[in-house]
Amino acid sequence: MKDKPTSNEILEIYDKCKSNYVKSGLQEAFSEDNRFYELDFKQDLNIPKEFEKDATVLPTARDRLDALVDHTDVSHARVFVNKKGESGTSKESAEMLRKFALGLIHRTNVEADISPLRVSAKHFWLHGITWIKTVWDADNWISRPFKKEGESDESFASRVDSWRNETHSSLPVIIQAVNPSNIIPDPYNNGRNFVFEVRKKLVYDAKRSSFKWNNPKGLKEDAEVEQIEYSDKDYRCIFIDREPVWKVGGGVIKHKYGFIPYTAIESGLGNVDIEGNPTKRYVGILRYMKNLLISQSSIYSMCDILTKMETMIGGYIKGADASSIGKITQSYGKWWPVGQKDVEFKRWERSLAPREAYAHLMYITDLIDVHSAPRSMFGLGETG
């Protein structure tokens, strides 16, 4: 490939990369991660059909993952900046750049509705990889005013001063946490050469984006189109419905970032196998304990169902007047009185869950703890 790719070459590469990721099963693995985090696996508990409505999915998956996210510090990052020399000016310049980066991290955490860095930490533990996107957003930059015709020097100077004051709180750098399901990196170099970001959009939204897409096929407003964004260290290209949105440079423009605007951070819980399978490489904390989660909720549900049944246990009656008794009612375990009749109430034989079932439930919970939660999360010391 030449230094500058064409839009057709980018689409060919995208089709190849997408085919590789579809074959790998990575998207399905991410979907399963989400399904277990959202506790949407009641159908896997294998509870008898007549008791399905009483099945309970324990929130263990969410508890474990959210605890790991809470223990991931996204507010007190350590920032290091390389010095350009040994002079005092170089040291001051590096220190100012370091403080700027710390301020950018703080602003990102406090200004967004949900901190992108916390969202990123959740992707990290849930999927085994997180993608952080850093882009320049010109809409967040206040343009310098120009002197109007006939405007006095004093008036213009006043507007320039106001502009300078406003730019102190204006920073056109945006940090976003992109869901790994929307990212297709270079499959042969782990995103080192290029990255695709893919997402669905309504035609209504695409027509009103800053790209000025004109809907060449005349699709309806509520139809969905695919937006593909390609980035390497030098060039960007955005497609909507496989048509480049920029009309200059053949749809491929040169950016001035100096780097690919996507940063991948891996959990390291996976394995780089001989085939480079991304499904085995990008592994979150829930990936290999799903059967334990199913078993835990299944045993709890069965114990819970038996307990509910035994709380209001029924029975039968004996005695000379037993045949004269009509409806028999019971409330909070107490039989309703039937007067002076010769009747004896007998309870059915009890069938509570055995103690072994509760012991097994605790054992499964211990196995989940060992797999997902370090001892330090419980206030215990670590060895070594």
Side-chain angles (χ1 to χ4, degrees), residues 3 5 193-195 230-236 255 259-261:
D3 286 341
N193 290 338
F194 58 84
V195 170
Y230 165 88
S231 298
D232 61 29
K233 66 182 181 63
D234 296 313
Y235 297 97
R236 292 181 68 207
H255 63 73
F259 53 86
I260 298 177

Side-chain angles (χ1 to χ4, degrees), residues 32-50:
E32 280 291 282
D33 293 339
N34 280 317
R35 186 169 75 90
F36 274 77
Y37 179 70
E38 298 298 338
L39 309 181
D40 184 22
F41 57 93
K42 182 181 288 189
Q43 66 275 17
D44 299 329
L45 302 187
N46 198 27
I47 301 297
K49 192 172 184 62
E50 62 180 302

Side-chain angles (χ1 to χ4, degrees), residues 272-311:
V272 182
D273 69 353
I274 191 171
E275 297 178 352
N277 189 329
T279 306
K280 295 181 180 179
R281 177 167 183 162
Y282 306 139
V283 174
I285 197 66
L286 304 181
R287 186 76 56 83
Y288 292 122
M289 67 176 188
K290 293 173 184 175
N291 287 336
L292 285 174
L293 294 169
I294 292 172
S295 182
Q296 183 195 44
S297 290
S298 178
I299 292 177
Y300 174 83
S301 294
M302 288 186 283
C303 292
D304 183 55
I305 290 168
L306 286 173
T307 301
K308 288 176 181 176
M309 293 175 63
E310 294 301 316
T311 300

Side-chain angles (χ1 to χ4, degrees), residues 50-112:
E50 62 180 302
F51 300 114
E52 282 181 349
K53 63 181 179 61
D54 293 310
T56 302
V57 176
L58 297 178
T60 307
R62 294 187 71 94
D63 292 342
R64 292 294 179 266
L65 194 134
D66 289 343
L68 289 167
V69 175
D70 290 338
H71 279 72
T72 304
D73 192 347
V74 297
S75 300
H76 302 90
R78 299 178 66 186
V79 177
F80 300 91
V81 178
N82 293 329
K83 294 182 294 184
K84 296 181 179 180
E86 293 299 326
S87 66
T89 302
S90 295
K91 293 180 180 179
E92 290 179 4
S93 176
E95 178 61 15
M96 289 179 64
L97 190 57
R98 187 186 72 85
K99 290 180 178 179
F100 169 78
L102 289 173
L104 183 60
I105 292 171
H106 175 72
R107 191 203 71 162
T108 300
N109 275 326
V110 300
E111 285 193 355

Side-chain angles (χ1 to χ4, degrees), residues 36-267:
F36 274 77
Y37 179 70
E38 298 298 338
L39 309 181
D40 184 22
F41 57 93
K42 182 181 288 189
Q43 66 275 17
D44 299 329
L45 302 187
N46 198 27
I47 301 297
K49 192 172 184 62
E50 62 180 302
F51 300 114
E52 282 181 349
K53 63 181 179 61
D54 293 310
T56 302
V57 176
L58 297 178
T60 307
R62 294 187 71 94
D63 292 342
R64 292 294 179 266
L65 194 134
D66 289 343
L68 289 167
V69 175
D70 290 338
H71 279 72
T72 304
D73 192 347
V74 297
S75 300
H76 302 90
R78 299 178 66 186
V79 177
F80 300 91
V81 178
N82 293 329
K83 294 182 294 184
K84 296 181 179 180
E86 293 299 326
S87 66
T89 302
S90 295
K91 293 180 180 179
E92 290 179 4
S93 176
E95 178 61 15
M96 289 179 64
L97 190 57
R98 187 186 72 85
K99 290 180 178 179
F100 169 78
L102 289 173
L104 183 60
I105 292 171
H106 175 72
R107 191 203 71 162
T108 300
N109 275 326
V110 300
E111 285 193 355
D113 295 333
I114 301 176
S115 167
L117 299 182
R118 180 174 175 84
V119 174
S120 181
K122 184 162 290 189
H123 293 161
F124 177 89
W125 289 112
L126 180 59
H127 299 307
I129 186 171
T130 187
W131 288 92
I132 299 176
K133 182 180 182 181
T134 309
V135 292
W136 176 276
D137 187 351
D139 292 338
N140 282 359
W141 183 252
I142 303 173
S143 301
R144 180 185 176 89
F146 294 95
K147 189 173 183 179
K148 300 176 183 178
E149 184 176 352
E151 183 179 18
S152 66
D153 292 341
E154 292 79 7
S155 176
F156 177 61
S158 175
R159 289 200 299 120
V160 171
D161 286 340
S162 298
W163 169 77
R164 288 192 179 118
N165 290 330
E166 291 174 351
T167 54
H168 289 169
S169 58
S170 173
L171 186 62
V173 178
I174 304 297
I175 296 178
Q176 300 172 336
V178 183
N179 193 298
S181 297
N182 296 116
I183 295 292
I184 300 179
D186 176 3
Y188 303 102
N189 296 283
N190 192 34
R192 303 300 181 189
N193 290 338
F194 58 84
V195 170
F196 289 101
E197 181 182 349
V198 187
R199 60 182 67 250
K200 296 290 186 180
K201 270 192 172 183
L202 288 176
V203 169
Y204 177 87
D205 294 325
K207 287 171 60 177
R208 287 157 179 78
S209 66
S210 58
F211 310 131
K212 306 300 181 184
W213 182 66
N214 59 6
N215 190 14
K217 296 181 181 178
L219 300 173
K220 293 184 177 180
E221 298 284 304
D222 61 347
E224 283 189 342
V225 289
E226 185 179 61
Q227 176 177 308
I228 306 168
E229 182 173 349
Y230 165 88
S231 298
D232 61 29
K233 66 182 181 63
D234 296 313
Y235 297 97
R236 292 181 68 207
C237 182
I238 296 178
F239 301 87
I240 295 182
D241 202 23
R242 298 183 71 86
E243 291 291 334
V245 298
W246 289 313
K247 306 306 179 186
V248 297
V252 183
I253 63 172
K254 187 176 180 64
H255 63 73
K256 298 180 182 180
Y257 297 155
F259 53 86
I260 298 177
Y262 296 88
T263 301
I265 305 175
E266 298 185 38
S267 68

